[in-house]
Amino acid sequence: MKNPEELKIVVKETYGKIASQSRTQNASSCCGSGSGCGCGCSDEAVMAEEYGHLEGYVPEADLGLGCGIPTDGAGIKSGDTVLDLGSGAGNDVFVARRIVGEHGTVIGVDFTEAMIAKANANKQKLGYTNVDFRHGDIEQLPVNSSTVDVVISNCVLNLVPDKTKAFGEISRVLKPGGHFSISDIVVTAPLPEKLKSVAELYAGCVSGALVRDEYLHIIESIGLHNVRVVKEKPVQIPEEILAEYLTDVECATYRNSNVRIQSITVTAEKP
């Protein structure tokens, strides 16, 4: 397994390539990076949710990279300040903007410069003035403390090496009484080491995933309250993708193990 800084480079390079492609291209090329991007995002029907019915949806901003719809049930209100972590081309930002209205603000933070450029191009076309895209690291957010009402994120925190730092930053920027709604990937038990050791899988949403109980414990350990999993669904790794990384025997062992990959949407509140 690569160290955290090397993993961040893999993520940045992978999603830099994705930024130049359409949703259709990303779906057909395993997250847009060609072979080896990762199991979890290789089958769009397994991971990505359909956004077309949502008000504020901007097709050009939807790269098909999510694993949920974090704005659903997020309790966003008119006039709120919302922060989207790993905002990509702006998909969830623009949906959230429709909810907060003209008097609210939505901030999108992304680690990849190419994604910020694509999001800003979408913003310029739409003429929005209450949307702000910022380049930054989720472990060190470029956002002032206690200024955000709601934090959202869609299949991104699994890519962050230090989840404790990430959730600590979420707590820091939330106002007292603020809350988050985050869609993410977790596992029911540790992944086989051979899968975890493939750095490209890390950018494919699977090998950076924590065990579910550990993930929820981190949230509670930094003092966030009312931690709830409000939605979950299984994620299946296609056999042809498993075969790229495991032998037949290893594939069979994995399938017969108690390891399961899940997409969950979790919410919690800052006291």
Side-chain angles (χ1 to χ4, degrees):
M1 176 63 76
K2 294 180 180 291
N3 66 43
E5 292 307 312
E6 290 172 328
L7 287 169
K8 287 182 180 182
I9 291 171
V10 170
V11 170
K12 182 173 287 192
E13 290 177 347
T14 299
Y15 285 88
K17 294 176 184 177
I18 290 170
S20 66
Q21 300 184 161
S22 68
R23 177 188 174 105
T24 301
Q25 287 174 308
N26 289 331
S28 64
S29 62
C30 187
C31 286
S33 69
S35 63
C37 171
C39 300
C41 296
S42 63
D43 185 346
E44 181 187 5
V46 171
M47 299 278 286
E49 298 273 0
E50 177 54 52
Y51 271 73
H53 64 289
L54 298 176
E55 292 188 54
Y57 174 63
V58 178
E60 294 80 8
D62 184 4
L63 300 182
L65 303 175
C67 57
I69 303 179
T71 53
D72 276 0
I76 300 171
K77 304 184 301 295
S78 177
D80 274 350
T81 296
V82 176
L83 171 63
D84 181 19
L85 305 180
S87 50
N91 191 30
D92 289 298
V93 167
F94 297 133
V95 172
R97 181 201 173 273
R98 176 65 179 80
I99 303 171
V100 303
E102 295 296 332
H103 300 293
T105 301
V106 186
I107 302 166
V109 173
D110 203 278
F111 190 56
T112 306
E113 292 91 337
M115 284 293 188
I116 293 294
K118 188 158 190 169
N120 276 322
N122 288 327
K123 169 187 168 182
Q124 186 174 6
K125 289 178 185 176
L126 295 164
Y128 293 157
T129 58
N130 59 339
V131 169
D132 181 17
F133 291 105
R134 304 177 186 179
H135 177 251
D137 190 327
I138 292 174
E139 294 177 6
Q140 294 178 303
L141 286 170
V143 179
N144 290 334
S145 299
S146 302
T147 57
V148 174
D149 295 292
V150 184
V151 172
I152 60 174
S153 187
N154 197 349
C155 208
V156 172
L157 289 188
N158 51 73
L159 304 175
V160 178
D162 193 328
K163 273 71 166 177
T164 300
K165 275 187 179 180
F167 280 109
E169 281 290 274
I170 290 170
S171 180
R172 177 184 66 79
V173 302
L174 279 172
K175 298 176 182 177
H179 62 278
F180 72 71
S181 175
I182 291 173
S183 298
D184 213 352
I185 297 297
V186 295
V187 293
T188 57
L191 287 170
E193 286 300 320
K194 194 167 183 180
L195 286 180
K196 288 180 68 175
S197 67
V198 181
E200 287 79 8
L201 267 179
Y202 199 86
C205 311
V206 175
S207 68
L210 291 182
V211 173
R212 176 173 168 149
D213 288 347
E214 180 184 358
Y215 188 98
L216 299 177
H217 174 71
I218 288 174
I219 299 171
E220 294 172 342
S221 71
I222 61 171
L224 293 168
H225 292 185
N226 298 325
V227 180
R228 297 186 301 135
V229 175
V230 297
K231 185 176 180 181
E232 60 183 277
K233 66 177 181 180
V235 173
Q236 301 295 334
I237 302 178
E239 292 292 339
E240 62 271 21
I241 300 299
L242 276 178
E244 292 186 25
Y245 302 103
L246 304 180
T247 66
D248 290 345
V249 172
E250 289 169 333
C251 279
T253 300
Y254 170 68
R255 287 301 188 199
N256 293 327
S257 73
N258 64 344
V259 178
R260 295 294 179 268
I261 301 169
Q262 298 176 327
S263 163
I264 64 171
T265 298
V266 59
T267 63
E269 303 168 7
K270 179 176 178 177

PDB file of all heavy atoms in Angstrom, residues 9-49:
ATOM      1  N   ILE A   9      -1.744  11.572  -4.702  1.00  0.00           N
ATOM      2  CA  ILE A   9      -1.294  11.819  -6.076  1.00  0.00           C
ATOM      3  C   ILE A   9      -2.071  10.937  -7.051  1.00  0.00           C
ATOM      4  O   ILE A   9      -2.509  11.390  -8.116  1.00  0.00           O
ATOM      5  CB  ILE A   9       0.221  11.575  -6.197  1.00  0.00           C
ATOM      6  CG1 ILE A   9       0.989  12.652  -5.421  1.00  0.00           C
ATOM      7  CG2 ILE A   9       0.655  11.564  -7.661  1.00  0.00           C
ATOM      8  CD1 ILE A   9       2.479  12.384  -5.305  1.00  0.00           C
ATOM      9  N   VAL A  10      -2.258   9.657  -6.680  1.00  0.00           N
ATOM     10  CA  VAL A  10      -3.033   8.746  -7.528  1.00  0.00           C
ATOM     11  C   VAL A  10      -4.446   9.275  -7.725  1.00  0.00           C
ATOM     12  O   VAL A  10      -4.980   9.309  -8.847  1.00  0.00           O
ATOM     13  CB  VAL A  10      -3.074   7.331  -6.910  1.00  0.00           C
ATOM     14  CG1 VAL A  10      -4.070   6.446  -7.663  1.00  0.00           C
ATOM     15  CG2 VAL A  10      -1.695   6.692  -6.940  1.00  0.00           C
ATOM     16  N   VAL A  11      -5.077   9.708  -6.627  1.00  0.00           N
ATOM     17  CA  VAL A  11      -6.440  10.230  -6.704  1.00  0.00           C
ATOM     18  C   VAL A  11      -6.501  11.463  -7.603  1.00  0.00           C
ATOM     19  O   VAL A  11      -7.370  11.593  -8.469  1.00  0.00           O
ATOM     20  CB  VAL A  11      -6.973  10.566  -5.296  1.00  0.00           C
ATOM     21  CG1 VAL A  11      -8.293  11.330  -5.376  1.00  0.00           C
ATOM     22  CG2 VAL A  11      -7.167   9.283  -4.485  1.00  0.00           C
ATOM     23  N   LYS A  12      -5.556  12.392  -7.406  1.00  0.00           N
ATOM     24  CA  LYS A  12      -5.559  13.627  -8.189  1.00  0.00           C
ATOM     25  C   LYS A  12      -5.359  13.332  -9.669  1.00  0.00           C
ATOM     26  O   LYS A  12      -6.050  13.899 -10.531  1.00  0.00           O
ATOM     27  CB  LYS A  12      -4.474  14.575  -7.681  1.00  0.00           C
ATOM     28  CG  LYS A  12      -4.426  15.904  -8.411  1.00  0.00           C
ATOM     29  CD  LYS A  12      -3.446  16.876  -7.776  1.00  0.00           C
ATOM     30  CE  LYS A  12      -3.972  17.428  -6.483  1.00  0.00           C
ATOM     31  NZ  LYS A  12      -3.185  18.571  -5.981  1.00  0.00           N
ATOM     32  N   GLU A  13      -4.424  12.452  -9.993  1.00  0.00           N
ATOM     33  CA  GLU A  13      -4.178  12.128 -11.403  1.00  0.00           C
ATOM     34  C   GLU A  13      -5.384  11.423 -12.027  1.00  0.00           C
ATOM     35  O   GLU A  13      -5.776  11.726 -13.165  1.00  0.00           O
ATOM     36  CB  GLU A  13      -2.934  11.244 -11.520  1.00  0.00           C
ATOM     37  CG  GLU A  13      -1.634  11.983 -11.198  1.00  0.00           C
ATOM     38  CD  GLU A  13      -0.412  11.076 -11.250  1.00  0.00           C
ATOM     39  OE1 GLU A  13      -0.606   9.829 -11.289  1.00  0.00           O
ATOM     40  OE2 GLU A  13       0.712  11.593 -11.242  1.00  0.00           O
ATOM     41  N   THR A  14      -5.980  10.495 -11.287  1.00  0.00           N
ATOM     42  CA  THR A  14      -7.119   9.752 -11.804  1.00  0.00           C
ATOM     43  C   THR A  14      -8.299  10.669 -12.081  1.00  0.00           C
ATOM     44  O   THR A  14      -8.905  10.645 -13.158  1.00  0.00           O
ATOM     45  CB  THR A  14      -7.545   8.654 -10.807  1.00  0.00           C
ATOM     46  OG1 THR A  14      -6.464   7.740 -10.630  1.00  0.00           O
ATOM     47  CG2 THR A  14      -8.767   7.890 -11.322  1.00  0.00           C
ATOM     48  N   TYR A  15      -8.636  11.516 -11.103  1.00  0.00           N
ATOM     49  CA  TYR A  15      -9.799  12.376 -11.267  1.00  0.00           C
ATOM     50  C   TYR A  15      -9.521  13.567 -12.175  1.00  0.00           C
ATOM     51  O   TYR A  15     -10.451  14.176 -12.710  1.00  0.00           O
ATOM     52  CB  TYR A  15     -10.349  12.777  -9.899  1.00  0.00           C
ATOM     53  CG  TYR A  15     -11.097  11.614  -9.277  1.00  0.00           C
ATOM     54  CD1 TYR A  15     -10.423  10.667  -8.509  1.00  0.00           C
ATOM     55  CD2 TYR A  15     -12.445  11.429  -9.520  1.00  0.00           C
ATOM     56  CE1 TYR A  15     -11.085   9.572  -7.984  1.00  0.00           C
ATOM     57  CE2 TYR A  15     -13.119  10.330  -9.003  1.00  0.00           C
ATOM     58  CZ  TYR A  15     -12.438   9.408  -8.231  1.00  0.00           C
ATOM     59  OH  TYR A  15     -13.094   8.306  -7.725  1.00  0.00           O
ATOM     60  N   GLY A  16      -8.254  13.870 -12.386  1.00  0.00           N
ATOM     61  CA  GLY A  16      -7.915  14.856 -13.407  1.00  0.00           C
ATOM     62  C   GLY A  16      -8.281  14.350 -14.796  1.00  0.00           C
ATOM     63  O   GLY A  16      -8.786  15.103 -15.641  1.00  0.00           O
ATOM     64  N   LYS A  17      -8.050  13.062 -15.032  1.00  0.00           N
ATOM     65  CA  LYS A  17      -8.448  12.453 -16.304  1.00  0.00           C
ATOM     66  C   LYS A  17      -9.966  12.391 -16.429  1.00  0.00           C
ATOM     67  O   LYS A  17     -10.537  12.663 -17.487  1.00  0.00           O
ATOM     68  CB  LYS A  17      -7.861  11.044 -16.413  1.00  0.00           C
ATOM     69  CG  LYS A  17      -6.345  10.991 -16.495  1.00  0.00           C
ATOM     70  CD  LYS A  17      -5.861   9.551 -16.494  1.00  0.00           C
ATOM     71  CE  LYS A  17      -4.349   9.462 -16.489  1.00  0.00           C
ATOM     72  NZ  LYS A  17      -3.873   8.065 -16.406  1.00  0.00           N
ATOM     73  N   ILE A  18     -10.623  12.043 -15.336  1.00  0.00           N
ATOM     74  CA  ILE A  18     -12.077  11.931 -15.347  1.00  0.00           C
ATOM     75  C   ILE A  18     -12.722  13.262 -15.708  1.00  0.00           C
ATOM     76  O   ILE A  18     -13.744  13.312 -16.404  1.00  0.00           O
ATOM     77  CB  ILE A  18     -12.578  11.452 -13.967  1.00  0.00           C
ATOM     78  CG1 ILE A  18     -12.178   9.990 -13.735  1.00  0.00           C
ATOM     79  CG2 ILE A  18     -14.095  11.599 -13.838  1.00  0.00           C
ATOM     80  CD1 ILE A  18     -12.424   9.504 -12.325  1.00  0.00           C
ATOM     81  N   ALA A  19     -12.128  14.360 -15.232  1.00  0.00           N
ATOM     82  CA  ALA A  19     -12.714  15.686 -15.450  1.00  0.00           C
ATOM     83  C   ALA A  19     -12.851  16.025 -16.927  1.00  0.00           C
ATOM     84  O   ALA A  19     -13.712  16.823 -17.306  1.00  0.00           O
ATOM     85  CB  ALA A  19     -11.871  16.745 -14.749  1.00  0.00           C
ATOM     86  N   SER A  20     -12.028  15.416 -17.766  1.00  0.00           N
ATOM     87  CA  SER A  20     -12.056  15.747 -19.199  1.00  0.00           C
ATOM     88  C   SER A  20     -13.038  14.882 -19.973  1.00  0.00           C
ATOM     89  O   SER A  20     -13.182  15.035 -21.177  1.00  0.00           O
ATOM     90  CB  SER A  20     -10.656  15.581 -19.795  1.00  0.00           C
ATOM     91  OG  SER A  20     -10.268  14.214 -19.774  1.00  0.00           O
ATOM     92  N   GLN A  21     -13.740  13.992 -19.275  1.00  0.00           N
ATOM     93  CA  GLN A  21     -14.615  13.047 -19.958  1.00  0.00           C
ATOM     94  C   GLN A  21     -16.067  13.234 -19.532  1.00  0.00           C
ATOM     95  O   GLN A  21     -16.367  13.836 -18.510  1.00  0.00           O
ATOM     96  CB  GLN A  21     -14.167  11.604 -19.653  1.00  0.00           C
ATOM     97  CG  GLN A  21     -12.750  11.317 -20.115  1.00  0.00           C
ATOM     98  CD  GLN A  21     -12.326   9.877 -19.912  1.00  0.00           C
ATOM     99  OE1 GLN A  21     -11.381   9.417 -20.516  1.00  0.00           O
ATOM    100  NE2 GLN A  21     -13.032   9.160 -19.053  1.00  0.00           N
ATOM    101  N   SER A  22     -16.973  12.670 -20.325  1.00  0.00           N
ATOM    102  CA  SER A  22     -18.400  12.742 -20.046  1.00  0.00           C
ATOM    103  C   SER A  22     -18.807  11.630 -19.095  1.00  0.00           C
ATOM    104  O   SER A  22     -18.051  10.685 -18.840  1.00  0.00           O
ATOM    105  CB  SER A  22     -19.192  12.598 -21.342  1.00  0.00           C
ATOM    106  OG  SER A  22     -19.046  11.281 -21.855  1.00  0.00           O
ATOM    107  N   ARG A  23     -20.042  11.714 -18.600  1.00  0.00           N
ATOM    108  CA  ARG A  23     -20.585  10.641 -17.759  1.00  0.00           C
ATOM    109  C   ARG A  23     -20.554   9.303 -18.489  1.00  0.00           C
ATOM    110  O   ARG A  23     -20.180   8.275 -17.918  1.00  0.00           O
ATOM    111  CB  ARG A  23     -22.022  10.993 -17.354  1.00  0.00           C
ATOM    112  CG  ARG A  23     -22.717   9.913 -16.529  1.00  0.00           C
ATOM    113  CD  ARG A  23     -24.192  10.247 -16.336  1.00  0.00           C
ATOM    114  NE  ARG A  23     -24.883   9.151 -15.675  1.00  0.00           N
ATOM    115  CZ  ARG A  23     -25.266   9.152 -14.408  1.00  0.00           C
ATOM    116  NH1 ARG A  23     -25.031  10.209 -13.658  1.00  0.00           N
ATOM    117  NH2 ARG A  23     -25.902   8.118 -13.881  1.00  0.00           N
ATOM    118  N   THR A  24     -20.930   9.308 -19.775  1.00  0.00           N
ATOM    119  CA  THR A  24     -20.956   8.068 -20.550  1.00  0.00           C
ATOM    120  C   THR A  24     -19.563   7.469 -20.672  1.00  0.00           C
ATOM    121  O   THR A  24     -19.371   6.261 -20.510  1.00  0.00           O
ATOM    122  CB  THR A  24     -21.537   8.325 -21.952  1.00  0.00           C
ATOM    123  OG1 THR A  24     -22.859   8.853 -21.802  1.00  0.00           O
ATOM    124  CG2 THR A  24     -21.588   7.043 -22.761  1.00  0.00           C
ATOM    125  N   GLN A  25     -18.580   8.322 -20.954  1.00  0.00           N
ATOM    126  CA  GLN A  25     -17.200   7.831 -21.060  1.00  0.00           C
ATOM    127  C   GLN A  25     -16.709   7.283 -19.727  1.00  0.00           C
ATOM    128  O   GLN A  25     -16.044   6.250 -19.675  1.00  0.00           O
ATOM    129  CB  GLN A  25     -16.287   8.968 -21.518  1.00  0.00           C
ATOM    130  CG  GLN A  25     -16.448   9.355 -22.971  1.00  0.00           C
ATOM    131  CD  GLN A  25     -15.624  10.590 -23.304  1.00  0.00           C
ATOM    132  OE1 GLN A  25     -15.703  11.613 -22.635  1.00  0.00           O
ATOM    133  NE2 GLN A  25     -14.820  10.476 -24.340  1.00  0.00           N
ATOM    134  N   ASN A  26     -17.034   7.967 -18.640  1.00  0.00           N
ATOM    135  CA  ASN A  26     -16.582   7.507 -17.331  1.00  0.00           C
ATOM    136  C   ASN A  26     -17.188   6.161 -16.982  1.00  0.00           C
ATOM    137  O   ASN A  26     -16.523   5.286 -16.417  1.00  0.00           O
ATOM    138  CB  ASN A  26     -16.954   8.538 -16.263  1.00  0.00           C
ATOM    139  CG  ASN A  26     -16.112   9.792 -16.376  1.00  0.00           C
ATOM    140  OD1 ASN A  26     -14.979   9.739 -16.828  1.00  0.00           O
ATOM    141  ND2 ASN A  26     -16.673  10.914 -15.977  1.00  0.00           N
ATOM    142  N   ALA A  27     -18.460   5.975 -17.327  1.00  0.00           N
ATOM    143  CA  ALA A  27     -19.120   4.705 -17.028  1.00  0.00           C
ATOM    144  C   ALA A  27     -18.502   3.560 -17.820  1.00  0.00           C
ATOM    145  O   ALA A  27     -18.340   2.457 -17.321  1.00  0.00           O
ATOM    146  CB  ALA A  27     -20.610   4.809 -17.336  1.00  0.00           C
ATOM    147  N   SER A  28     -18.123   3.835 -19.078  1.00  0.00           N
ATOM    148  CA  SER A  28     -17.618   2.770 -19.938  1.00  0.00           C
ATOM    149  C   SER A  28     -16.143   2.487 -19.719  1.00  0.00           C
ATOM    150  O   SER A  28     -15.648   1.450 -20.135  1.00  0.00           O
ATOM    151  CB  SER A  28     -17.840   3.134 -21.410  1.00  0.00           C
ATOM    152  OG  SER A  28     -17.085   4.281 -21.757  1.00  0.00           O
ATOM    153  N   SER A  29     -15.442   3.397 -19.037  1.00  0.00           N
ATOM    154  CA  SER A  29     -14.001   3.185 -18.862  1.00  0.00           C
ATOM    155  C   SER A  29     -13.604   3.083 -17.404  1.00  0.00           C
ATOM    156  O   SER A  29     -12.491   3.397 -17.028  1.00  0.00           O
ATOM    157  CB  SER A  29     -13.222   4.341 -19.500  1.00  0.00           C
ATOM    158  OG  SER A  29     -13.531   5.572 -18.876  1.00  0.00           O
ATOM    159  N   CYS A  30     -14.551   2.626 -16.552  1.00  0.00           N
ATOM    160  CA  CYS A  30     -14.248   2.372 -15.147  1.00  0.00           C
ATOM    161  C   CYS A  30     -13.766   3.626 -14.448  1.00  0.00           C
ATOM    162  O   CYS A  30     -12.581   3.779 -14.127  1.00  0.00           O
ATOM    163  CB  CYS A  30     -13.214   1.253 -15.013  1.00  0.00           C
ATOM    164  SG  CYS A  30     -12.923   0.741 -13.327  1.00  0.00           S
ATOM    165  N   CYS A  31     -14.647   4.559 -14.231  1.00  0.00           N
ATOM    166  CA  CYS A  31     -14.355   5.835 -13.567  1.00  0.00           C
ATOM    167  C   CYS A  31     -13.538   6.770 -14.433  1.00  0.00           C
ATOM    168  O   CYS A  31     -13.021   7.765 -13.942  1.00  0.00           O
ATOM    169  CB  CYS A  31     -13.632   5.644 -12.242  1.00  0.00           C
ATOM    170  SG  CYS A  31     -14.680   5.040 -10.950  1.00  0.00           S
ATOM    171  N   GLY A  32     -13.354   6.429 -15.671  1.00  0.00           N
ATOM    172  CA  GLY A  32     -12.719   7.373 -16.564  1.00  0.00           C
ATOM    173  C   GLY A  32     -11.220   7.287 -16.654  1.00  0.00           C
ATOM    174  O   GLY A  32     -10.589   8.041 -17.364  1.00  0.00           O
ATOM    175  N   SER A  33     -10.607   6.347 -15.960  1.00  0.00           N
ATOM    176  CA  SER A  33      -9.153   6.285 -15.994  1.00  0.00           C
ATOM    177  C   SER A  33      -8.638   5.132 -16.825  1.00  0.00           C
ATOM    178  O   SER A  33      -7.460   4.834 -16.821  1.00  0.00           O
ATOM    179  CB  SER A  33      -8.604   6.149 -14.567  1.00  0.00           C
ATOM    180  OG  SER A  33      -8.922   4.888 -14.056  1.00  0.00           O
ATOM    181  N   GLY A  34      -9.546   4.461 -17.514  1.00  0.00           N
ATOM    182  CA  GLY A  34      -9.123   3.297 -18.273  1.00  0.00           C
ATOM    183  C   GLY A  34      -9.007   2.098 -17.365  1.00  0.00           C
ATOM    184  O   GLY A  34      -9.552   2.059 -16.281  1.00  0.00           O
ATOM    185  N   SER A  35      -8.304   1.053 -17.793  1.00  0.00           N
ATOM    186  CA  SER A  35      -8.220  -0.162 -17.003  1.00  0.00           C
ATOM    187  C   SER A  35      -7.539   0.106 -15.681  1.00  0.00           C
ATOM    188  O   SER A  35      -6.621   0.895 -15.572  1.00  0.00           O
ATOM    189  CB  SER A  35      -7.425  -1.231 -17.773  1.00  0.00           C
ATOM    190  OG  SER A  35      -6.105  -0.793 -17.988  1.00  0.00           O
ATOM    191  N   GLY A  36      -8.037  -0.586 -14.651  1.00  0.00           N
ATOM    192  CA  GLY A  36      -7.392  -0.496 -13.352  1.00  0.00           C
ATOM    193  C   GLY A  36      -7.897   0.598 -12.458  1.00  0.00           C
ATOM    194  O   GLY A  36      -7.341   0.821 -11.402  1.00  0.00           O
ATOM    195  N   CYS A  37      -8.970   1.297 -12.840  1.00  0.00           N
ATOM    196  CA  CYS A  37      -9.447   2.360 -11.971  1.00  0.00           C
ATOM    197  C   CYS A  37     -10.023   1.835 -10.691  1.00  0.00           C
ATOM    198  O   CYS A  37      -9.784   2.390  -9.641  1.00  0.00           O
ATOM    199  CB  CYS A  37     -10.476   3.213 -12.680  1.00  0.00           C
ATOM    200  SG  CYS A  37     -11.299   4.373 -11.611  1.00  0.00           S
ATOM    201  N   GLY A  38     -10.775   0.760 -10.756  1.00  0.00           N
ATOM    202  CA  GLY A  38     -11.305   0.261  -9.501  1.00  0.00           C
ATOM    203  C   GLY A  38     -12.617  -0.470  -9.667  1.00  0.00           C
ATOM    204  O   GLY A  38     -13.386  -0.218 -10.562  1.00  0.00           O
ATOM    205  N   CYS A  39     -12.861  -1.362  -8.752  1.00  0.00           N
ATOM    206  CA  CYS A  39     -14.041  -2.206  -8.852  1.00  0.00           C
ATOM    207  C   CYS A  39     -15.320  -1.436  -8.663  1.00  0.00           C
ATOM    208  O   CYS A  39     -16.252  -1.587  -9.424  1.00  0.00           O
ATOM    209  CB  CYS A  39     -13.960  -3.313  -7.806  1.00  0.00           C
ATOM    210  SG  CYS A  39     -12.533  -4.380  -7.957  1.00  0.00           S
ATOM    211  N   GLY A  40     -15.377  -0.650  -7.619  1.00  0.00           N
ATOM    212  CA  GLY A  40     -16.641  -0.082  -7.210  1.00  0.00           C
ATOM    213  C   GLY A  40     -17.285   0.787  -8.249  1.00  0.00           C
ATOM    214  O   GLY A  40     -18.503   0.834  -8.340  1.00  0.00           O
ATOM    215  N   CYS A  41     -16.537   1.528  -9.018  1.00  0.00           N
ATOM    216  CA  CYS A  41     -17.119   2.454  -9.980  1.00  0.00           C
ATOM    217  C   CYS A  41     -17.192   1.856 -11.373  1.00  0.00           C
ATOM    218  O   CYS A  41     -17.546   2.537 -12.314  1.00  0.00           O
ATOM    219  CB  CYS A  41     -16.304   3.742 -10.017  1.00  0.00           C
ATOM    220  SG  CYS A  41     -16.316   4.660  -8.475  1.00  0.00           S
ATOM    221  N   SER A  42     -16.846   0.608 -11.530  1.00  0.00           N
ATOM    222  CA  SER A  42     -16.786   0.035 -12.866  1.00  0.00           C
ATOM    223  C   SER A  42     -18.160  -0.233 -13.438  1.00  0.00           C
ATOM    224  O   SER A  42     -18.326  -0.322 -14.634  1.00  0.00           O
ATOM    225  CB  SER A  42     -15.996  -1.273 -12.826  1.00  0.00           C
ATOM    226  OG  SER A  42     -16.662  -2.210 -12.014  1.00  0.00           O
ATOM    227  N   ASP A  43     -19.155  -0.392 -12.594  1.00  0.00           N
ATOM    228  CA  ASP A  43     -20.503  -0.669 -13.058  1.00  0.00           C
ATOM    229  C   ASP A  43     -21.408   0.441 -12.564  1.00  0.00           C
ATOM    230  O   ASP A  43     -21.813   0.479 -11.425  1.00  0.00           O
ATOM    231  CB  ASP A  43     -20.964  -2.027 -12.512  1.00  0.00           C
ATOM    232  CG  ASP A  43     -22.329  -2.426 -13.054  1.00  0.00           C
ATOM    233  OD1 ASP A  43     -23.011  -1.555 -13.622  1.00  0.00           O
ATOM    234  OD2 ASP A  43     -22.682  -3.605 -12.903  1.00  0.00           O
ATOM    235  N   GLU A  44     -21.737   1.373 -13.452  1.00  0.00           N
ATOM    236  CA  GLU A  44     -22.475   2.560 -13.063  1.00  0.00           C
ATOM    237  C   GLU A  44     -23.792   2.218 -12.392  1.00  0.00           C
ATOM    238  O   GLU A  44     -24.224   2.883 -11.457  1.00  0.00           O
ATOM    239  CB  GLU A  44     -22.722   3.428 -14.299  1.00  0.00           C
ATOM    240  CG  GLU A  44     -23.459   4.708 -14.001  1.00  0.00           C
ATOM    241  CD  GLU A  44     -23.822   5.450 -15.269  1.00  0.00           C
ATOM    242  OE1 GLU A  44     -23.587   4.933 -16.363  1.00  0.00           O
ATOM    243  OE2 GLU A  44     -24.341   6.556 -15.123  1.00  0.00           O
ATOM    244  N   ALA A  45     -24.454   1.174 -12.847  1.00  0.00           N
ATOM    245  CA  ALA A  45     -25.752   0.823 -12.292  1.00  0.00           C
ATOM    246  C   ALA A  45     -25.651   0.418 -10.835  1.00  0.00           C
ATOM    247  O   ALA A  45     -26.613   0.507 -10.080  1.00  0.00           O
ATOM    248  CB  ALA A  45     -26.373  -0.309 -13.106  1.00  0.00           C
ATOM    249  N   VAL A  46     -24.478  -0.048 -10.414  1.00  0.00           N
ATOM    250  CA  VAL A  46     -24.285  -0.470  -9.038  1.00  0.00           C
ATOM    251  C   VAL A  46     -24.116   0.730  -8.120  1.00  0.00           C
ATOM    252  O   VAL A  46     -24.614   0.766  -7.005  1.00  0.00           O
ATOM    253  CB  VAL A  46     -23.054  -1.389  -8.932  1.00  0.00           C
ATOM    254  CG1 VAL A  46     -22.705  -1.660  -7.481  1.00  0.00           C
ATOM    255  CG2 VAL A  46     -23.318  -2.703  -9.653  1.00  0.00           C
ATOM    256  N   MET A  47     -23.417   1.753  -8.574  1.00  0.00           N
ATOM    257  CA  MET A  47     -23.009   2.844  -7.696  1.00  0.00           C
ATOM    258  C   MET A  47     -23.828   4.111  -7.877  1.00  0.00           C
ATOM    259  O   MET A  47     -24.411   4.621  -6.935  1.00  0.00           O
ATOM    260  CB  MET A  47     -21.531   3.174  -7.964  1.00  0.00           C
ATOM    261  CG  MET A  47     -20.588   2.042  -7.691  1.00  0.00           C
ATOM    262  SD  MET A  47     -20.170   1.891  -5.957  1.00  0.00           S
ATOM    263  CE  MET A  47     -19.063   3.272  -5.774  1.00  0.00           C
ATOM    264  N   ALA A  48     -23.840   4.669  -9.075  1.00  0.00           N
ATOM    265  CA  ALA A  48     -24.397   5.999  -9.291  1.00  0.00           C
ATOM    266  C   ALA A  48     -25.915   5.995  -9.191  1.00  0.00           C
ATOM    267  O   ALA A  48     -26.581   5.051  -9.606  1.00  0.00           O
ATOM    268  CB  ALA A  48     -23.964   6.528 -10.657  1.00  0.00           C
ATOM    269  N   GLU A  49     -26.454   7.073  -8.634  1.00  0.00           N
ATOM    270  CA  GLU A  49     -27.903   7.255  -8.529  1.00  0.00           C
ATOM    271  C   GLU A  49     -28.393   8.144  -9.674  1.00  0.00           C
ATOM    272  O   GLU A  49     -27.632   8.916 -10.254  1.00  0.00           O
ATOM    273  CB  GLU A  49     -28.246   7.912  -7.191  1.00  0.00           C
ATOM    274  CG  GLU A  49     -27.842   7.088  -5.978  1.00  0.00           C
ATOM    275  CD  GLU A  49     -28.907   6.086  -5.572  1.00  0.00           C
ATOM    276  OE1 GLU A  49     -29.951   6.035  -6.246  1.00  0.00           O
ATOM    277  OE2 GLU A  49     -28.685   5.360  -4.588  1.00  0.00           O
TER     278      GLU A  49
END
